[in-house]
Every structure is written in structure tokens, then in C-alpha cells.
Amino acid sequence: VSVAAHGRWVVVLNQGSNTVGSLVLTGHALVPSSRAAVELSSAAATPVQIGFTPSGAHVIVTEKVSSSIDTFNVSSDGRLTGLRHTVSTGTAPYGFGFSAGGQAIVSDAGGGAGGVSAATSYRVGAAGELHPISEVGESQAAACWLVVNGAGTRAYLANAGSGTVSSYNIGPGGRLTLRSDVAATVGVHPIDEVLGGGWFFVLTTTEIASAPLSSSGDLGVVNESAASGLPAAATGLAIV
């Protein structure tokens, strides 16, 4: 359900088996690792996203139904070790990104009801332990995917239940403040989002909505049908 890369190492999150597989980038080829898949914690339920910390020293997995987050240390040869299981501060952690200081910024779906979604920030310790910094709510429903701008100072949450995007300022030390409860209205059920080239894109069922990013990081006028006619099975966006 989720893939992440850092340098040569690629990790793959397998939701059906609650495991993390690994691949290796060799030249222009992607080859399977000789290592067996690593199991998530026994308490993990419905993992949704995997990612490396900016330094590549740790891998993080959010687990929606168990409201928990697993972390691994990454060894110099790409092995995942030192599994830690942390009960999340918010309910139903989902998407995440990282601040300029390397703090993890996580969306909390809150069970999908309106008014209970939030964003939470954590400091990632040297051994992969998570230290909560702040949790800030918003009034929208079912916050899911989250992206952080390149400067690491602004987070954007796609709210699947509201068809909206909320934005947060990321301050020193990873402390969050809500900038806009409804930074944009993008249409029915946003599925994924991505930033690139001064634009913000959101996949919504069979369409892609787009909005320009201002110099301050705010979202401009939304075109809810910047691209249409996508396959109903489309589930992700990427800019290459």
C-alpha cells in the first residue's frame, strides 16, 4: 500500500501481511533484497504509510485502526532493526511528512467524523522513539494524506470526508498552528496529494484538482478538473 526510498534502499509496506519488504536500487535497476520481510508489531492494525526520516536513519509506519506508529532503525547495510511500537497521540494516524528540523508531522483521521481530525508532531529520538510535540485539531472530516512543502514550514492535509484541504504552519521545534481550516475545496473524496513546480495537486476519484501556491505558501483558486477521465482504480500521484 505504500513505498518509500532513501538512497539505495527501498521499503515496501504490505498491509495484508503486516510486514515491510525491501528492495535495492542498483544502477538503473530495482532488485529484490536477499533479506526476508520484517514484521510490524503484533499490535499493529491497518498500516497505511511508510517513510524514511530525512536522515535515512529511521523508517516510520503509521497504523490507522490501532492508532499506533511503528519505527525501525536503519543499519548501514539497509537492514531494519530495533522495532518500536508507540501509541499515537492522535486517533487513527494516517499520512505524514517531515519538518525542516526532521520532526514527523502526522495527520490523524480521528475515526472519520467531522471536528475530530488533527495534525500531530513528534520528535524522533536517536533510537527511533517518538516524543509528542503538539496536537492541533481542525473542523474537517477524515484527514488522510499529508504533504509538507520543501522548506518544511507548511503542512497540507487532505480531508477525505469533507473534500477539502487544511493547512498548518510548522514552527521552530516542529510546533504546529492551524493556518487555515479550509485552505481549499477540491471536490469529492481526495485520495492523494502532491506538491511540485509551484503547484498543489489532489487526486479525487477520477479527476485531479490543482491550485497554484503563492509565495507565502497559501493555495490559490482551485481547478477541480485540471485532469479528468482517470481510471477508477487510480490511487496515487507523483511528480517526476
Side-chain angles (χ1 to χ4, degrees):
V1 295
S2 181
V3 179
H6 189 279
R8 295 177 57 214
W9 314 125
V10 180
V11 288
V12 181
L13 179 60
N14 305 302
Q15 189 179 83
S17 59
N18 270 14
T19 60
V20 177
S22 58
L23 303 166
V24 181
L25 284 168
T26 309
H28 297 291
L30 184 63
V31 298
S33 167
S34 60
R35 293 183 291 274
V38 177
E39 292 186 356
L40 298 175
S41 64
S42 59
T46 314
V48 287
Q49 184 173 342
I50 192 168
F52 287 90
T53 56
S55 67
H58 303 96
V59 161
I60 292 177
V61 178
T62 48
E63 297 146 358
K64 179 179 65 172
V65 170
S66 54
S67 287
S68 55
I69 302 173
D70 278 1
T71 56
F72 296 90
N73 299 324
V74 182
S75 66
S76 59
D77 62 355
R79 289 181 299 112
L80 301 185
T81 63
L83 169 63
R84 286 178 176 268
H85 182 76
T86 303
V87 176
S88 61
T89 300
T91 302
Y94 208 105
F96 63 90
F98 294 93
S99 69
Q103 295 87 11
I105 314 299
V106 182
S107 67
D108 301 312
V116 294
S117 291
T120 305
S121 55
Y122 300 87
R123 179 175 63 84
V124 184
E129 67 276 19
L130 297 179
H131 304 276
I133 300 168
S134 59
E135 180 186 13
V136 180
E138 40 112 326
S139 70
Q140 304 301 290
C144 54
W145 301 114
L146 178 149
V147 293
V148 175
N149 66 354
T153 57
R154 185 74 56 83
Y156 305 88
L157 278 68
N159 302 300
S162 306
T164 60
V165 175
S166 302
S167 62
Y168 286 78
N169 291 326
I170 307 172
R175 191 155 296 278
L176 301 174
T177 56
L178 181 64
R179 182 174 181 88
S180 178
D181 204 48
V182 181
T185 298
V186 295
V188 178
H189 195 81
I191 297 170
D192 198 7
E193 57 182 354
V194 67
L195 293 167
W199 287 83
F200 178 80
F201 300 95
V202 180
L203 175 63
T204 60
T205 313
T206 59
E207 296 184 316
I208 295 175
S210 67
L213 281 170
S214 70
S215 58
S216 65
D218 293 322
L219 300 178
V221 176
V222 175
N223 179 352
E224 293 187 17
S225 300
S228 58
L230 277 65
T235 57
L237 281 177
I239 293 178
V240 296

